[in-house]
Amino acid sequence: MASELCKTISVARLEKHKNLFLNYRNLHHFPLELLKDEGLQYLERLYMKRNSLTTLPENLAQKLPNLVELYLHSNNIVVVPEAIGSLVKLQCLDLSDNALEIVCPEIGRLRALRHLRLANNQLQFLPPDLGRSRELQYVYVDNNVHLKGLPSYLYNKVIGCSGCGAPVQVSEVKLLSFSSGQLTVFLPAEVKAIGTERDCILPLQELAMRSLHRACHRFLKDLNFLSPISLPRSLLELLQCPLGHCHRCSEPMFTIVYPKLFPLRETPMAGLHQGTTTVSFVAYCCSTRCLQTFDLLS
């Protein structure tokens, strides 16, 4: 089987195939042959459905830079590496039927992405900026029973969310959450605090991060513009990739968000979800002012 797999990949490399089918191969690891030398520079569609993969390589974008479609349905993937955000041409990503608990924020950087399938996983939340791109039109998160909130950026997209928000017992939850009525929504792990309408001022750390971000914005492509003595590298990396942007004014947020819940409203697929989901849209705002003035239709 291993020799047959290597032969299939070698032929695809030699003949500059655009499509490669590796479904039902009982793969437990991403094939090293795919990442050999310069990789498969001409490959546009990779099918790896129904294997036993648990993760993806960090150099995926480097070795397969022209991927347009990536199908990973029915594996055992727990973590998607941050490097996936470098697949700049990716238009379709299928991670349905895996073991995902977290979706890395870098997926929100895929500006060409049109179809995202995350159904039948263990997701508790989605990245706040997911759906910010106008290109993303179809998002399917059906049967993620822990998922009770969709970022408001997904409003007016084609959403599949049947079976989400089911009343299940979640033991030893370490994520921050907030409640509205009978609905409790978990927030991304990067969020350190939850703001409310009663807050008068932002925490000092958050103010400092936002000020640094504004001051250094034009230098952020190069993390070495300041020495580690001036600013620790960990803070530089945080400055480059905030946890999200305000859904009202696009201000970057680093440690605190002001969440606001909206009941599921009409979307292009709303009629399919009546009585099948308790999920709601969640706006992530940067301040009490934005929290009070934000509306899905504004």
Side-chain angles (χ1 to χ4, degrees):
M1 179 65 74
S3 60
E4 179 184 345
L5 176 65
C6 289
K7 182 178 179 180
T8 299
I9 297 174
S10 296
V11 170
R13 178 182 288 107
L14 182 64
E15 298 181 359
K16 299 179 180 179
H17 288 185
K18 292 186 177 182
N19 303 317
L20 181 58
F21 296 88
L22 299 179
N23 302 323
Y24 297 95
R25 297 280 186 149
N26 195 32
L27 299 174
H28 292 267
H29 305 284
F30 202 87
L32 294 178
E33 190 70 21
L34 277 174
L35 310 174
K36 185 179 178 181
D37 300 325
E38 294 184 356
L40 276 71
Q41 299 291 313
Y42 293 90
L43 195 66
E44 294 182 358
R45 297 171 186 83
L46 177 58
Y47 299 81
M48 301 185 74
K49 299 180 182 180
R50 298 193 179 278
N51 285 289
S52 299
L53 300 175
T54 57
T55 188
L56 300 175
E58 292 286 348
N59 60 345
L60 183 64
Q62 178 185 353
K63 299 299 183 179
L64 306 175
N66 291 303
L67 272 187
V68 175
E69 299 177 8
L70 178 57
Y71 298 95
L72 297 162
H73 185 286
S74 299
N75 279 276
N76 298 316
I77 297 174
V78 178
V79 176
V80 178
E82 297 177 358
I84 198 154
S86 299
L87 288 169
V88 295
K89 296 184 179 181
L90 196 65
Q91 296 180 17
C92 180
L93 176 60
D94 187 353
L95 287 162
S96 302
D97 287 279
N98 277 279
L100 291 174
E101 296 182 3
I102 296 174
V103 175
C104 62
E106 285 69 22
I107 282 185
R109 296 183 185 178
L110 297 173
R111 295 308 182 195
L113 192 65
R114 290 180 55 82
H115 294 76
L116 177 61
R117 297 181 178 271
L118 299 167
N120 297 304
N121 279 284
Q122 302 296 320
L123 297 174
Q124 296 184 21
F125 59 87
L126 296 175
D129 281 349
L130 187 64
R132 203 173 181 211
S133 169
R134 293 183 179 180
E135 294 299 321
L136 184 61
Q137 293 298 319
Y138 304 90
V139 181
Y140 300 94
V141 291
D142 305 82
N143 299 317
N144 281 275
V145 295
H146 303 281
L147 182 63
K148 295 189 177 183
L150 300 169
S152 64
Y153 282 131
L154 294 180
Y155 180 68
N156 281 338
K157 310 287 185 180
V158 178
I159 306 295
C161 57
S162 295
C164 294
V168 295
Q169 294 294 326
V170 183
S171 60
E172 299 182 2
V173 172
K174 296 181 180 179
L175 300 172
L176 289 177
S177 64
F178 73 101
S179 300
S180 179
Q182 296 181 342
L183 186 64
T184 298
V185 175
F186 298 104
L187 297 179
E190 295 86 355
V191 177
K192 301 296 188 295
I194 301 173
T196 71
E197 292 186 359
R198 297 186 298 272
D199 294 347
C200 297
I201 57 172
L202 287 168
L204 182 59
Q205 182 182 6
E206 183 68 17
L207 284 170
M209 294 300 293
R210 294 184 189 182
S211 296
L212 281 169
H213 185 271
R214 284 191 292 270
C216 306
H217 182 69
R218 55 180 165 171
F219 301 105
L220 288 179
K221 291 183 179 179
D222 179 11
L223 290 179
N224 296 316
F225 75 95
L226 287 176
S227 69
I229 297 176
S230 301
L231 198 64
R233 187 174 184 85
S234 60
L235 289 183
L236 289 175
E237 292 173 348
L238 183 60
L239 283 172
Q240 187 182 44
C241 187
L243 66 88
H245 293 78
C246 177
H247 291 195
R248 180 69 175 88
C249 70
S250 294
E251 175 81 18
M253 301 173 292
F254 298 91
T255 61
I256 187 171
V257 298
Y258 292 78
K260 186 174 184 179
L261 271 177
F262 295 89
L264 184 64
R265 297 188 181 186
E266 290 187 2
T267 68
M269 294 183 69
L272 299 178
H273 304 304
Q274 292 180 1
T276 61
T277 181
T278 59
V279 73
S280 292
F281 288 101
V282 185
Y284 297 91
C285 298
C286 68
S287 64
T288 56
R289 180 179 179 182
C290 287
L291 180 68
Q292 293 165 356
T293 57
F294 180 83
D295 188 89
L296 282 178
L297 301 178
S298 62

